[in-house]
Amino acid sequence: MDNTGYTPEEPVAAIATSLAPAALGIVRTSGKRCIELVASIFSRPKTLLAAQGNTIVYGWIKDGDTLIDEVLLSVFKAPKSFTGEDMVEISCHGGPAVVTAVYNTLLKIGFRQAQKGEYTFRAYINGKTDLTRAEAVREIIDSRTDVSRGRAAGRLAGDVYTVIDGIKKQIVDSLAALEVEIEYPEDEETIADAFDTSELQKAAESLQQLVDSWKNEKLYQDGARVVLCGRTNAGKSSLFNALLKEDRAIVSNIAGTTRDWLESWISLDGIPVRLFDTAGLRMTTDVIEQNGVERTKDLSKDADVIMYMVDSHVGIHEDDVAFITSCTVPLVLVWNKCDVVDETHRPSLEHVEKLSVVKQQVYISAKKSEGIGELTKAVTGILTAGNKTDREQAGLGSARQQAAVKDALSCVLHALETAKGGYTLDAVVQDLEDCLDSLGEVTGEVTPDDVLESIFSHFCVGK
């Protein structure tokens, strides 16, 4: 949003729900005199003006003498509201024409159209939230799985802010100790052991954990690309349907049925995954099918993980070997149709230990949905390798947060080296003050206008 042209407390309005047929629609207003303005088009203006905060008033929205819709008005009074300003949220019937008519009537009487993210921006500048919580609002809206939503909810509840606040206290305590040493030195020539660095070391460890957390949090936010590859009739489309739990792809015994790739978002143990079903790999004179094979190869190069399927009844073909040996993406070898093969004679790829790209071999029956759990575990294990997936500690919610925390960590580490190196304590103080500035950028206490523009411009109107 354009915060450089922002007028504090200016009354704004926005449609906060999707413009699609629904039971309810919400039009949100905020700003100075918003209650009085809404009262001017309300059938019971005196009741609305006399309403207490956090109450609901019933009536009609009117445009002159024309009744628009029967509504409920949720009244919030500053500072006890989302934005910290007076607010009125209009709950009307959810037809697009109704919601639009209510909204246009508000614009006619003096409300300005809210910019993207303006409500959350107002909450931020009015001290109702910090930037970590503000960014978490957008995360929750964009989340694709329950796990993604839960991790964002933790940030919205303030877990990152709490950790950052604790680290800042450690830094401030160390600064206070340094100031005492500077003002009242026992030996001006001695720097080593002039103050206890244990708090700084703890702060460095906490900052490192936060920096490391972003890789995993990013996975749950952005998701991963998983591509199903294999020869024709290996069962890719059957597995695609089994993972989606719906008949999305056409399945048949005719080779080359899938000519182009299909895609859909799914959840693998809470990780958002963009799953691709691709054309079977084989030599063909069919121009369209050959184009599909080339697209399969292109998609596989950009994948995070490849599920390479082989028909257990047929076994490994030279086309399979050629693809696997040339692959550079982590790969799970999926032996399909194991329900028609005796378990004691299950096939296996020989010398697999020499192929570092093959992370695991899994046996399934896509048709009967057998072995899907083991396959899911294998893929998620690759995606989360080396990362903590639990929620025992707070995790950063954006690349912006990680960059600022990295800067803070660098300042603390430099301060520790400076203290050990025999430099003056003033140099250590400068490092720690720079650290506090970087941590202030995370929560928004010290944040340039261009950063605010980047954060709030990605929000939807109405939030």
Side-chain angles (χ1 to χ4, degrees):
M1 61 172 290
D2 182 13
N3 56 72
T4 57
Y6 170 73
T7 303
E9 297 188 327
E10 183 179 11
V12 293
I15 298 172
T17 49
S18 176
L19 274 177
L24 292 174
I26 296 176
V27 182
R28 170 178 277 184
T29 71
S30 182
K32 194 172 183 178
R33 295 185 61 248
C34 76
I35 297 176
E36 290 86 348
L37 286 171
V38 174
S40 69
I41 59 170
F42 189 54
S43 62
R44 302 170 63 203
K46 292 182 179 179
T47 302
L48 176 57
L49 292 172
Q52 298 296 312
N54 302 313
T55 59
I56 296 176
V57 180
Y58 160 79
W60 286 78
I61 293 294
K62 305 189 302 178
D63 184 1
D65 295 328
T66 303
L67 295 176
I68 295 178
D69 193 25
E70 190 177 25
V71 300
L72 292 175
L73 303 184
S74 300
V75 182
F76 305 92
K77 294 193 174 181
K80 296 181 179 181
S81 70
F82 176 71
T83 61
E85 305 170 334
D86 286 349
M87 295 183 69
V88 177
E89 292 190 351
I90 304 171
S91 298
C92 56
H93 292 93
V98 176
V99 176
T100 303
V102 171
Y103 174 64
N104 287 336
T105 303
L106 292 171
L107 297 183
K108 285 169 59 177
I109 62 171
F111 283 96
R112 170 176 63 77
Q113 178 180 343
Q115 299 179 55
K116 288 183 176 181
E118 184 165 353
Y119 290 93
T120 308
F121 177 68
R122 289 184 177 214
Y124 162 68
I125 64 171
N126 289 327
K128 302 297 290 186
T129 189
D130 69 284
L131 285 189
T132 63
R133 291 183 176 95
E135 287 177 297
V137 170
R138 182 170 59 84
E139 282 184 61
I140 286 181
I141 294 172
D142 294 339
S143 59
R144 295 182 181 275
T145 70
D146 285 342
V147 175
S148 300
R149 173 196 51 74
R151 298 173 92 90
R155 284 183 279 278
L156 182 60
D159 60 4
V160 172
Y161 180 87
T162 300
V163 172
I164 294 294
D165 198 49
I167 294 172
K168 286 169 65 177
K169 185 178 185 305
Q170 292 173 320
I171 301 300
V172 169
D173 288 347
S174 295
L175 269 173
L178 283 169
E179 294 292 350
V180 170
E181 289 293 335
I182 291 173
E183 293 296 327
Y184 307 102
E186 292 185 5
D187 184 351
E188 294 183 0
E189 302 300 322
T190 302
I191 299 300
D193 300 323
F195 73 104
D196 186 0
T197 61
S198 60
E199 286 299 302
L200 287 185
Q201 290 168 346
K202 291 177 183 177
E205 291 173 2
S206 297
L207 289 169
Q208 186 65 63
Q209 288 178 349
L210 284 175
V211 170
D212 294 341
S213 73
W214 169 235
K215 181 180 178 182
N216 205 48
E217 297 300 325
K218 187 175 187 298
L219 172 64
Y220 283 92
Q221 283 184 27
D222 298 344
R225 291 166 62 97
V226 176
V227 177
L228 285 166
C229 293
R231 297 185 68 237
T232 56
N233 285 350
K236 298 182 298 298
S237 295
S238 294
L239 179 57
F240 185 77
N241 290 341
L243 290 169
L244 262 63
K245 297 181 176 61
E246 63 177 87
D247 292 332
R248 174 77 180 277
I250 298 174
V251 177
S252 81
N253 293 323
I254 302 174
T257 298
T258 303
R259 299 295 188 93
D260 201 357
W261 50 265
L262 297 175
E263 65 171 289
S264 184
W265 283 96
I266 64 170
S267 172
L268 291 184
D269 287 346
I271 299 174
V273 167
R274 191 178 175 190
L275 181 66
F276 293 84
D277 178 25
T278 62
L281 298 169
R282 68 168 182 169
M283 296 299 296
T284 177
T285 57
D286 188 308
V287 176
I288 297 177
E289 187 180 351
Q290 182 59 41
N291 189 31
V293 172
E294 292 302 317
R295 291 189 180 188
T296 297
K297 294 178 180 178
D298 291 339
L299 279 171
S300 67
K301 293 176 184 177
D302 294 328
D304 294 299
V305 177
I306 290 174
M307 295 183 191
Y308 192 87
M309 299 192 68
V310 178
D311 187 332
S312 297
H313 193 65
V314 176
I316 285 285
H317 187 276
E318 59 182 17
D319 290 340
D320 301 321
V321 175
F323 181 90
I324 293 171
T325 53
S326 65
C327 186
T328 58
V329 175
L331 181 148
V332 176
L333 185 58
V334 185
W335 296 94
N336 190 28
K337 306 181 184 179
C338 288
D339 53 314
V340 297
V341 177
D342 188 280
E343 188 169 342
T344 59
H345 295 87
R346 281 183 171 178
S348 179
L349 183 63
E350 296 182 3
H351 308 300
V352 68
E353 67 278 358
K354 296 181 180 180
L355 299 171
S356 59
V357 71
V358 180
K359 303 302 180 182
Q360 197 167 337
Q361 299 186 64
V362 179
Y363 299 89
I364 72 165
S365 170
K367 184 177 181 180
K368 294 185 177 181
S369 295
E370 296 176 355
I372 302 299
E374 185 180 351
L375 175 59
T376 297
K377 185 177 179 181
V379 173
T380 56
I382 295 171
L383 294 174
T384 60
N387 300 325
K388 288 186 177 180
T389 59
D390 55 50
R391 294 296 292 146
E392 292 181 0
Q393 65 173 56
L396 297 179
S398 69
R400 179 197 71 82
Q401 293 175 20
Q402 189 205 34
V405 173
K406 268 187 174 181
D407 289 342
L409 174 60
S410 177
C411 291
V412 172
L413 294 177
H414 191 267
L416 290 168
E417 289 299 318
T418 300
K420 291 179 182 178
Y423 294 94
T424 64
L425 291 180
D426 287 335
V428 180
V429 168
Q430 184 61 57
D431 282 331
L432 298 188
E433 289 178 345
D434 290 343
C435 173
L436 289 175
D437 285 343
S438 295
L439 293 178
E441 289 184 18
V442 179
T443 56
E445 296 166 53
V446 182
T447 303
D449 285 342
D450 57 344
V451 174
L452 294 178
E453 165 75 14
S454 174
I455 292 171
F456 292 102
S457 65
H458 290 89
F459 280 56
C460 55
V461 174
K463 199 61 181 177

